[in-house]
Amino acid sequence: AQKFARVVMGTNNVDVSSNLKPELVEPLGEMLGYQGSTNSIWDLKGAKSILVVSSNITEEHNVVAIPLKEAVRNGSPLVVVDSRETELTQLATKWLRPKPGTDPAVIGAILRVIMEESLDDHEFLNKRVENLDHWKNSLWEFDLVRVEKLTGVSQEDIREAARLVASNTPLAILYALETIESNSRTSCVKALVSLSLVTGSLGNESGGLFPLYSGTNGQGS
């Protein structure tokens, strides 16, 4: 594509459609230093648990679905947060079905449960994470009673999902945020980065974060 642009079109500038949703990756650059997936999609085969947020992967990113399904067949629990019923919700160990647009509150509540029940990776957090105390204080707004009323997801389902992803690490997080308004996507991605950190899943071959662009080859571009 670059050679065609230079030789035929006479320009050095190339862009891709993934920039239509910059909020999927900008928080990754801000918090981790790199605006892109932390791992190759084939690393998903070794994930010990998988969280999929607002992503119809089998239809929109069917190549990614191959290693994901292999991990599930090998016993890795799959948690899906999506207001829609998709193929993955039928395969899920736990399907959380929030009211449309309230997915970020569910992620915040999962984080609160992990910290309350001391399911976090203490060593990873103490060695590698900054501003931890300030972040812990921010979790108070995710009172489970309030989140249940807001999202329609029961407190027990939230607790079960939190225990699944925190007790089976490394955790792989895949998200497209297809049902979430653009003004809520940034906060949701930041919460997902935090979830990857508290479970100690970053820097691991089979864990980490997988933003799913609208174009299937967006990461490669």
Side-chain angles (χ1 to χ4, degrees):
Q2 288 182 329
K3 185 174 182 180
F4 179 84
R6 288 194 305 270
V7 176
V8 179
M9 301 178 66
T11 178
N12 292 321
N13 301 316
V14 179
D15 202 355
V16 292
S17 63
S18 61
N19 286 340
L20 293 173
K21 285 186 178 180
E23 59 272 18
L24 292 184
V25 293
E26 285 178 348
L28 301 183
E30 177 187 339
M31 299 175 73
L32 305 175
Y34 180 66
Q35 289 192 14
S37 174
T38 60
N39 297 68
S40 162
I41 62 170
W42 300 108
D43 291 345
L44 285 168
K45 292 189 291 185
K48 297 304 180 184
S49 62
I50 299 171
L51 173 67
V52 175
V53 182
S54 187
S55 309
N56 190 2
I57 291 176
T58 54
E59 292 193 20
E60 301 296 333
H61 302 86
N62 50 2
V63 174
V64 181
I66 296 171
L68 187 158
K69 287 182 175 180
E70 183 173 338
V72 172
R73 282 197 301 270
N74 290 335
S76 299
L78 169 64
V79 176
V80 176
V81 180
D82 205 316
S83 57
R84 308 160 299 179
E85 183 173 2
T86 64
E87 181 182 345
L88 286 187
T89 62
Q90 300 169 25
L91 300 176
T93 311
K94 195 72 183 176
W95 173 24
L96 306 184
R97 191 174 192 174
K99 297 174 183 176
T102 64
D103 308 54
V106 172
I107 304 303
I110 288 174
L111 284 165
R112 176 161 175 168
V113 170
I114 290 174
M115 300 309 293
E116 282 185 346
E117 299 189 1
S118 196
L119 300 172
D120 55 300
D121 188 325
H122 307 306
E123 183 178 355
F124 184 93
L125 290 177
N126 290 330
K127 284 185 177 180
R128 306 188 56 182
V129 175
E130 299 175 344
N131 302 319
L132 187 57
D133 290 337
H134 175 75
W135 175 79
K136 286 180 179 178
N137 290 333
S138 72
L139 294 178
W140 286 109
E141 68 177 284
F142 296 103
D143 175 76
L144 263 63
V145 174
R146 189 183 71 83
V147 171
E148 181 177 16
K149 291 179 180 178
L150 174 67
T151 66
V153 179
S154 73
Q155 297 179 54
E156 188 53 39
D157 282 346
I158 291 171
R159 291 188 185 279
E160 288 180 15
R163 292 163 187 158
L164 279 172
V165 299
S167 301
N168 298 277
T169 57
L171 163 68
I173 301 173
L174 300 94
Y175 62 92
L177 310 190
E178 294 162 353
T179 63
I180 300 175
E181 295 293 331
S182 58
N183 59 357
S184 298
R185 289 181 194 140
T186 296
S187 61
C188 190
V189 175
K190 287 183 176 181
L192 293 173
V193 173
S194 296
L195 182 56
S196 191
L197 289 170
V198 300
T199 56
S201 298
L202 279 178
N204 191 295
E205 182 179 331
S206 300
L209 295 144
F210 299 80
L212 303 175
Y213 303 96
S214 54
T216 54
N217 205 31
Q219 174 78 20
S221 299

